[in-house]
Amino acid sequence: MHISDGVLSLPVVAAGWIITVALLVITLRWGERDKSIAEQIPKLSIMTGAFFVASLIHVSVGPTSVHLILNGLLGVVLGVLSYPAMFIGLTLQALLFQHGGLTVLGVNTMIMGVPGLISYAVFKTGYKRNISLTALGALCGALATVLAVILLAVVLVTTGEEFVAVAKLAAVAHVPIMIVEAIVTGFVVAYLAKVKPELLPVDLGDKR
Amino acid sequence: MTKEAVSIRDLNYSYPDGTVALEDINITIEEGERIAIIGQNGAGKTTLFLHLNGTIKSCDNNVVIFGKDIGQMKSKERIEKVGVVFQDPDDQLFMPTIFDDVAFGPINMGLDEDEVERRVRSALATVGLTGFEDRVPHHLSYGQKKRAALAAVLSMEPRILVLDEPTANLDPMNRASLIELINDLNRDKGITTIVAMHDVNAVSQLADRIYVLNKRMVAEGPPTEIFMDFDLLRENNLDAPDVFKLFSVLSCFGFNCESLPLSINEAVEVLTKTIEGDEKHVHLHIHEHTHEDLEVLMHRYDHHHG
Amino acid sequence: MTKEAVSIRDLNYSYPDGTVALEDINITIEEGERIAIIGQNGAGKTTLFLHLNGTIKSCDNNVVIFGKDIGQMKSKERIEKVGVVFQDPDDQLFMPTIFDDVAFGPINMGLDEDEVERRVRSALATVGLTGFEDRVPHHLSYGQKKRAALAAVLSMEPRILVLDEPTANLDPMNRASLIELINDLNRDKGITTIVAMHDVNAVSQLADRIYVLNKRMVAEGPPTEIFMDFDLLRENNLDAPDVFKLFSVLSCFGFNCESLPLSINEAVEVLTKTIEGDEKHVHLHIHEHTHEDLEVLMHRYDHHHG
Amino acid sequence: MDYPEIDRYASLDSPIHRFDPRAKIITFVLLLISFVFVQKISVAFLALLFSLLLLLVSKLPIRFILKRVQIVLIFVLPLLIIMPLTVKGTELFSVFGISATREGLWYASLIVIRSMAAVILILTMLGSMRFDTTIKALYTLKAPKTLVQMLMFTYRYIFVIIDEFLSMWRAMSAKGFNPRTNMYGLSVMGNMVGMLIVKSYERGERVYQAMISRGYTGNPKTRTAFAMRRTDYVLSAIFVGIAILVHINTVMM
């Protein structure tokens, strides 16, 4: 659901860049609390690569096939640094595969990245309330998709009333994707909890 | 009469970018044989294996397994006939538990729960991993992972077992036990085994017949014959087993035996037999041509001038 | 008097989760030595290597390189002293082009552009990859990647070169040329080389002295001594080289030589010398204890009962 | 899954290939920004023609371009159907009681033309230099260091991870796995994604160690031998001129 170049209006594109640049600055600063960013770059980059490759996986839904988005999972695993990771991932998608555009990178990163950040917060909060990790994962997967679709719709409609119907259609088209994302994210979180719990932003020490 | 397990006729395959991977491959393997396919990196071993169980489909119906074109088989039949164990166990174990990984094939075959359960237990017992059902594959040692990957294929109870580099990176104990295990499967269950190997020192322990692959099948024959052919080895960047080389050296010193041994065990046999047959002793001596012969021999085994 | 290149005293290290990785390690390596560290998977080789160049810092100042505590060294000095080549070349070729990868160390050392350029050319020439400057790592073969990773360390011109499994997964030609290359660096440039290896058949070609690691240093000595010690090998799940085993077998048939050879080349020497020294011939014969001795020997080499 | 071969034809020779990478990036991005906000169909069409002209000059194979343009078309072409039917305005024609409007068609056409011009520009720019050159040019252009480094390392390891993914996929197919969109199929996919993440995390640790042991300080430099020549300045001036002209034109009309 990445928007291509040439679709959005100048004010929307500019607003997208302002928000994304601000969030990049904030998240990169924040990500430096415990460890310098230089130390984290190699691991962060390679994991961004893993998410990039995972997002190339096709899942057939009815007659068409969709790509995994995994922005909720990205938020859960990478925390605040999911935002720069998303920015890099989308840059590479635009440059290497023409999924989405260059001028709209700010907007696209916001559409995908903000729900990722929210998923991270939800995951941490939900864990404190003793919700099962798998369910939380599924919730974050679904939530991140829904939020992304809402943001997409807002961005389109802000560009022009002409997009109202398009935005509605896009929202409907994403219902199956939301379900797929929820299930896959749930399973990934369950897998990570079992195999590499330190990748989740919660301390499983007492629950394992 | 034994049955033909594998029959490949004039198989050609190119990668999507046009590079030729396999050219004019012809193979016939009888049921119950132990085969090794040797060849350097990039010789096409993996591609050939993927044809063997129909993961890559040839358009010309030229891969025939037990008399039936593999292209015509349903997925279940295909994987029941040929099981492929790849080299890196990390690529093959992706489920949260060993049980799930070993059950993966049987579940895809559509077997019922009890049968899946039975097969998992039996496969794990075969490879010596009973009790590991709930362990996380990723946390196992390399040797254990290697055996788990084998169990995950054995649970499909294939008639033909294909293994890519089964002994690579294993320590001596794990290597010895894996070789024994593969041979047991061949002997006790009559499974046809096909291995691809770099480690020529272990080849003779796992194969009675060798194919040398280098995009084409450049040679075929029993190990001793293959390792005798210096030019063949040189051209295909292959080595002879150390024991074999050493007996070639001994023969320069006048040691004569019927056929050169390929492993330590064979060497002991050959030595005992030769010495006993030769009135309880053998002379090693330096004759007229010894130094010359040695020089030629060592030059042939030297890979720097390859 | 030669200088001490490496001196480690009472080194202990545990992983963050509490598992002990290294215990009471004591090592002294003289400048210019060729050392092999052998041990099964998980014996702690990688952890030890990370201490050697200060990537993991010990708190007790017990890793001393050329007389100086590595914990006190600046980054530049550290990497100039000790270069580590890890096993998987993909982990070490992280830059966009081979040039950038080989230049990575020198640039971090703060060298000027001309010197960086000179070192890159020289390192690439040493490993035989001249002309590969602008290639991307993804398009190299495994053997080329392995050599590029070595070049990326050589460009820092370290006095001590540490290599983790330099020959693993290489075909005979690449293995032979890499072994030759490492030995050239030792002989011509006086670089102290420390290798970790599984492949005991190649160990003697790369080391004059062996440490056996199993969290602790369980043994130390020249290869022949180490491989003679059956119990040591058994306990640490190690194998002896095939050539060595075969000469043990020959000794059961009455072949006597001063020290058992470890490689084919040594074997030729030993045979020639022994036979020439023994009035141009040697008797192999079955004596009273031959069969008995053979049985004991073969049982000792059999890893199934380990 | 294919490797990202965006720079497959970077070794061709053309004025665009020879254009200084830094100047190329700046001027093409300027053209891009200029073209995507054009408000008149006629001007947008001219912009598209100009993009096509650059493409023609670059000698990049048409098949390479088509395959990639297609991806954008899948996204924007539906607008040509949806918008005329949903946007209010002057009726153009009507079928079965559903009417299509001139405004809808106009707006959708504008978007399609602009995005075509944009994607062709981007493909011409990226297709005519190696991707590592693009990254290095961004470095020398003082793009934020952290982000450029991430871009560089991520790009490098995409190839390694794709290989890992393909090996896993082969092993799964060899065990009769059929990717279906049901609970089981998605659970397997979830595990596979999980495994990719775990492997990458561990590789990240190893790569970091390898970097530290070669003196990594957080600022890897790379070699660049960029040099602006006279033709580079001329080309740049022309491109910047066109980027501005497109909008002066709009304002004046």
Side-chain angles (χ1 to χ4, degrees):
Chain A
M1 65 168 123
H2 315 321
I3 299 171
S4 304
D5 282 320
V7 175
L8 301 180
S9 67
L10 179 59
V12 174
V13 169
W17 274 110
I18 290 168
I19 292 169
T20 286
V21 169
L23 280 174
L24 281 174
V25 172
I26 293 168
T27 52
L28 283 171
R29 285 272 159 77
W30 198 339
E32 241 174 337
R33 278 164 314 168
D34 311 325
K35 248 192 219 172
S36 79
I37 210 75
E39 261 178 75
Q40 301 181 62
I41 283 175
K43 199 184 286 177
L44 183 61
S45 307
I46 297 171
M47 292 182 73
T48 303
F51 278 99
F52 179 90
V53 172
S55 73
L56 298 178
I57 299 175
H58 291 269
V59 177
S60 54
V61 175
T64 62
S65 83
V66 297
H67 290 280
L68 294 177
I69 306 173
L70 301 176
N71 58 333
L73 182 66
L74 190 75
V76 170
V77 174
L78 295 181
V80 290
L81 290 178
S82 66
Y83 204 83
M86 187 53 93
F87 179 74
I88 296 301
L90 288 171
T91 305
L92 284 172
Q93 292 214 329
L95 297 182
L96 302 178
F97 292 117
Q98 286 65 54
H99 293 184
L102 268 188
T103 57
V104 287
L105 259 180
V107 170
N108 279 338
T109 308
M110 178 194 78
I111 290 176
M112 296 293 163
V114 170
L117 294 175
I118 293 171
S119 298
Y120 175 58
V122 168
F123 193 87
K124 287 187 84 156
T125 320
Y127 181 75
K128 283 188 196 126
R129 307 221 168 139
N130 283 318
I131 305 174
S132 94
L133 286 175
T134 312
L136 260 180
L139 173 68
C140 289
L143 181 70
T145 316
V146 172
L147 291 175
V149 172
I150 292 173
L151 284 172
L152 174 74
V154 169
V155 163
L156 288 176
V157 175
T158 317
T159 285
E161 284 170 25
E162 293 89 339
F163 279 104
V164 172
V166 175
K168 282 182 188 161
L169 270 172
V172 174
H174 277 85
V175 171
I177 298 179
M178 182 193 79
I179 297 168
V180 167
E181 283 284 319
I183 298 173
V184 172
T185 308
F187 278 116
V188 176
V189 168
Y191 183 86
L192 293 179
K194 197 152 170 56
V195 178
K196 202 90 186 166
E198 58 260 50
L199 282 173
L200 298 176
V202 291
D203 184 15
L204 293 178
D206 49 339
K207 298 214 174 177
R208 258 201 289 169
Chain B
M1 205 188 104
T2 51
K3 274 195 290 187
E4 261 180 23
V6 178
S7 161
I8 298 182
R9 290 283 150 267
D10 303 323
L11 176 65
N12 287 282
Y13 182 78
S14 300
Y15 295 116
D17 69 357
T19 324
V20 173
L22 297 174
E23 219 179 327
D24 286 331
I25 302 289
N26 284 286
I27 300 183
T28 311
I29 299 172
E30 305 286 320
E31 186 170 21
E33 273 199 289
R34 298 189 311 150
I35 301 290
I37 295 177
I38 62 178
Q40 55 186 328
N41 285 331
K45 287 173 288 184
T46 309
T47 311
L48 178 62
F49 287 176
L50 291 172
H51 278 94
L52 277 180
N53 82 338
T55 305
I56 300 181
K57 288 204 168 58
S58 154
C59 321
D60 306 333
N61 310 333
N62 36 17
V63 179
V64 175
I65 305 293
F66 289 115
K68 191 165 172 187
D69 175 13
I70 198 150
Q72 309 291 318
M73 291 185 197
K74 289 235 170 68
S75 162
K76 178 177 182 302
E77 192 180 355
R78 228 165 24 90
I79 63 178
E80 247 174 1
K81 292 268 156 61
V82 187
V84 183
V85 185
F86 296 95
Q87 180 174 355
D88 188 350
D90 278 323
D91 292 341
Q92 298 165 83
L93 304 170
F94 34 77
M95 302 292 269
T97 68
I98 292 286
F99 184 96
D100 296 335
D101 258 318
V102 181
F104 185 77
I107 288 175
N108 289 331
M109 287 160 75
L111 300 176
D112 66 46
E113 231 172 272
D114 290 343
E115 177 64 9
V116 170
E117 179 102 11
R118 186 195 70 72
R119 288 189 173 210
V120 173
R121 305 253 172 257
S122 146
L124 285 177
T126 307
V127 301
L129 287 181
T130 300
F132 278 64
E133 285 82 355
D134 291 330
R135 298 278 286 274
V136 179
H138 192 67
H139 298 166
L140 300 185
S141 75
Y142 190 78
Q144 289 168 337
K145 281 185 193 171
K146 213 66 184 175
R147 281 188 277 155
L150 175 55
V153 168
L154 289 180
S155 60
M156 300 183 285
E157 302 190 347
R159 296 302 307 145
I160 301 169
L161 187 59
V162 181
L163 302 114
D164 196 359
E165 297 288 350
T167 60
N169 298 327
L170 287 179
D171 52 40
M173 203 165 68
N174 275 307
R175 186 168 58 233
S177 76
L178 206 67
I179 288 175
E180 194 181 4
L181 176 55
I182 295 167
N183 284 331
D184 285 351
L185 289 167
N186 176 271
R187 198 183 44 241
D188 304 340
K189 305 198 174 168
I191 296 176
T192 310
T193 57
I194 305 174
V195 299
M197 294 184 89
H198 258 121
D199 178 6
V200 286
N201 288 312
V203 158
S204 69
Q205 295 172 55
L206 277 170
D208 306 311
R209 199 154 62 88
I210 291 183
Y211 281 100
V212 181
L213 182 68
N214 196 353
K215 289 185 185 160
R216 303 167 158 275
M217 277 299 172
V218 289
E220 179 271 330
T224 345
E225 207 170 278
I226 297 289
F227 292 126
M228 286 285 255
D229 191 339
F230 293 109
D231 295 332
L232 177 75
L233 297 180
R234 168 70 50 96
E235 274 158 26
N236 296 284
N237 190 13
L238 296 169
D239 226 337
D242 281 338
V243 172
F244 187 89
K245 286 187 191 171
L246 201 65
F247 272 78
S248 316
V249 168
L250 285 178
S251 72
C252 297
F253 289 102
F255 181 84
N256 286 313
C257 57
E258 270 170 43
S259 82
L260 300 182
L262 295 160
S263 67
I264 295 284
N265 291 326
E266 279 180 44
V268 172
E269 257 176 62
V270 166
L271 280 169
T272 315
K273 224 173 100 183
T274 312
I275 298 176
E276 277 182 343
D278 223 9
E279 292 167 16
K280 305 274 179 198
H281 64 269
V282 152
H283 270 273
L284 295 184
H285 55 278
I286 295 178
H287 53 76
E288 203 176 346
H289 300 293
T290 297
H291 294 295
E292 205 176 304
D293 289 354
L294 274 175
E295 203 168 308
V296 171
L297 189 67
M298 295 318 284
H299 184 78
R300 281 177 162 169
Y301 281 135
D302 186 352
H303 269 276
H304 292 139
H305 316 284
Chain C
M1 207 187 104
T2 51
K3 274 194 289 188
E4 261 181 23
V6 178
S7 161
I8 298 182
R9 289 285 152 265
D10 303 323
L11 176 66
N12 287 283
Y13 182 78
S14 300
Y15 295 117
D17 69 358
T19 324
V20 174
L22 296 174
E23 220 179 325
D24 286 333
I25 302 289
N26 284 287
I27 300 183
T28 309
I29 298 173
E30 304 287 319
E31 185 169 22
E33 275 200 287
R34 298 188 310 150
I35 301 291
I37 294 178
I38 61 177
Q40 53 187 328
N41 285 330
K45 286 173 288 186
T46 308
T47 312
L48 178 62
F49 286 177
L50 291 173
H51 278 94
L52 276 179
N53 81 338
T55 302
I56 300 182
K57 287 203 169 58
S58 155
C59 322
D60 307 334
N61 310 332
N62 37 17
V63 179
V64 176
I65 304 292
F66 288 114
K68 191 164 173 188
D69 175 13
I70 198 149
Q72 309 292 320
M73 291 185 196
K74 290 236 171 69
S75 162
K76 176 179 185 300
E77 194 179 355
R78 222 166 28 87
I79 63 178
E80 244 175 2
K81 292 270 155 62
V82 187
V84 183
V85 186
F86 298 95
Q87 182 172 356
D88 184 349
D90 272 324
D91 292 345
Q92 298 160 86
L93 304 171
F94 39 74
M95 296 294 280
T97 67
I98 296 301
F99 183 96
D100 296 327
D101 259 314
V102 182
F104 186 85
I107 288 174
N108 288 330
M109 287 160 74
L111 300 175
D112 68 46
E113 229 172 272
D114 289 343
E115 176 64 9
V116 169
E117 183 97 11
R118 186 195 69 72
R119 288 191 173 208
V120 173
R121 305 249 170 261
S122 146
L124 286 176
T126 307
V127 302
L129 288 181
T130 300
F132 278 63
E133 285 82 354
D134 287 330
R135 299 279 284 272
V136 293
H138 181 65
H139 290 152
L140 300 190
S141 72
Y142 188 80
Q144 289 168 336
K145 280 186 194 172
K146 219 53 192 181
R147 280 187 278 154
L150 175 56
V153 169
L154 289 180
S155 59
M156 301 183 287
E157 303 190 347
R159 296 303 307 145
I160 301 170
L161 187 60
V162 181
L163 303 114
D164 197 356
E165 297 288 352
T167 60
N169 298 326
L170 289 179
D171 52 37
M173 203 164 67
N174 275 308
R175 188 168 55 234
S177 74
L178 206 64
I179 288 174
E180 194 181 4
L181 176 55
I182 295 168
N183 283 330
D184 285 351
L185 289 168
N186 176 270
R187 197 183 45 241
D188 303 341
K189 305 199 174 167
I191 296 176
T192 311
T193 57
I194 305 174
V195 299
M197 294 185 91
H198 257 119
D199 180 4
V200 287
N201 287 312
V203 158
S204 69
Q205 295 172 56
L206 278 170
D208 306 311
R209 199 153 62 88
I210 292 182
Y211 280 100
V212 181
L213 183 68
N214 197 353
K215 289 186 185 157
R216 303 167 159 274
M217 277 299 173
V218 289
E220 179 273 330
T224 347
E225 206 171 279
I226 297 288
F227 292 126
M228 285 285 253
D229 190 341
F230 292 110
D231 294 331
L232 177 75
L233 297 179
R234 169 70 49 96
E235 273 156 29
N236 295 285
N237 191 14
L238 296 168
D239 226 340
D242 280 338
V243 172
F244 186 88
K245 287 186 192 174
L246 202 65
F247 272 78
S248 316
V249 168
L250 285 178
S251 71
C252 296
F253 289 102
F255 181 85
N256 288 312
C257 56
E258 269 170 46
S259 82
L260 300 182
L262 294 159
S263 68
I264 295 285
N265 290 327
E266 280 178 43
V268 172
E269 257 174 63
V270 166
L271 280 169
T272 315
K273 224 174 100 183
T274 312
I275 298 175
E276 278 183 342
D278 224 9
E279 291 169 15
K280 304 273 176 197
H281 63 269
V282 152
H283 269 272
L284 295 184
H285 57 277
I286 296 179
H287 55 77
E288 206 176 344
H289 300 293
T290 298
H291 293 296
E292 205 176 307
D293 289 355
L294 274 175
E295 204 168 306
V296 172
L297 189 67
M298 295 318 284
H299 184 78
R300 281 177 162 168
Y301 282 135
D302 186 351
H303 270 277
H304 292 139
H305 316 285
Chain D
M1 193 173 293
D2 297 327
Y3 295 121
E5 287 186 304
I6 188 75
D7 55 1
R8 190 168 175 179
Y9 297 102
S11 56
L12 299 180
D13 186 38
S14 78
I16 307 288
H17 283 76
R18 286 191 296 268
F19 194 15
D20 179 86
R22 294 162 302 173
K24 199 193 299 185
I25 289 176
I26 291 179
T27 54
F28 271 68
V29 168
L30 270 177
L31 284 172
L32 180 69
I33 295 171
S34 162
F35 287 2
V36 295
F37 298 122
V38 164
Q39 295 299 325
K40 280 186 68 109
I41 287 199
S42 55
V43 181
F45 193 71
L46 285 174
L48 176 60
L49 284 182
F50 182 71
S51 304
L52 284 168
L53 175 71
L54 291 182
L55 174 66
L56 212 66
V57 172
S58 77
K59 296 187 201 159
L60 290 170
I62 203 72
R63 210 150 39 110
F64 166 80
I65 300 294
L66 279 181
K67 213 177 92 188
R68 287 154 192 280
V69 166
Q70 205 182 310
I71 294 162
V72 177
L73 280 177
I74 291 171
F75 182 80
V76 293
L77 272 187
L79 298 180
L80 271 181
I81 302 162
I82 301 166
M83 284 192 161
L85 299 181
T86 56
V87 174
K88 292 189 191 73
T90 335
E91 185 182 299
L92 205 57
F93 59 87
S94 133
V95 188
F96 305 122
I98 304 165
S99 57
T101 62
R102 178 185 295 275
E103 283 81 359
L105 183 66
W106 173 83
Y107 196 76
S109 308
L110 180 66
I111 288 174
V112 171
I113 296 171
R114 289 195 307 208
S115 50
M116 283 305 101
V119 70
I120 289 169
L121 267 183
I122 294 176
L123 285 170
T124 310
M125 170 177 83
L126 293 172
S128 60
M129 59 184 160
R130 279 173 46 158
F131 198 72
D132 55 273
T133 309
T134 308
I135 294 173
K136 287 175 188 175
L138 288 174
Y139 242 121
T140 49
L141 287 171
K142 304 270 183 264
K145 270 191 308 203
T146 306
L147 294 174
V148 181
Q149 266 191 68
M150 281 181 69
L151 193 66
M152 184 171 85
F153 293 136
T154 305
Y155 175 71
R156 159 70 181 107
Y157 282 100
I158 283 172
F159 292 89
V160 177
I161 298 165
I162 286 180
D163 282 342
E164 280 175 350
F165 172 82
L166 290 177
S167 302
M168 281 163 75
W169 192 255
R170 269 202 301 263
M172 289 164 75
S173 323
K175 289 181 203 157
F177 177 68
N178 246 328
R180 289 217 189 84
T181 310
N182 52 24
M183 211 47 156
Y184 176 68
L186 291 177
S187 80
V188 171
M189 237 167 262
N191 289 334
M192 203 163 73
V193 171
M195 187 76 206
L196 276 185
I197 292 172
V198 170
K199 278 185 167 192
S200 303
Y201 176 83
E202 290 172 349
R203 188 182 290 280
E205 280 179 343
R206 295 196 305 270
V207 169
Y208 178 64
Q209 284 172 345
M211 292 169 89
I212 287 295
S213 57
R214 274 155 59 197
Y216 176 64
T217 50
N219 184 22
K221 298 189 193 75
T222 63
R223 173 180 69 161
T224 46
F226 302 144
M228 290 284 283
R229 291 158 306 153
R230 187 180 301 169
T231 44
D232 292 323
Y233 289 109
V234 173
L235 264 187
S236 301
I238 295 173
F239 289 175
V240 173
I242 287 171
I244 295 168
L245 196 71
V246 164
H247 286 276
I248 289 178
N249 199 320
T250 319
V251 173
M252 286 174 42
M253 287 159 78

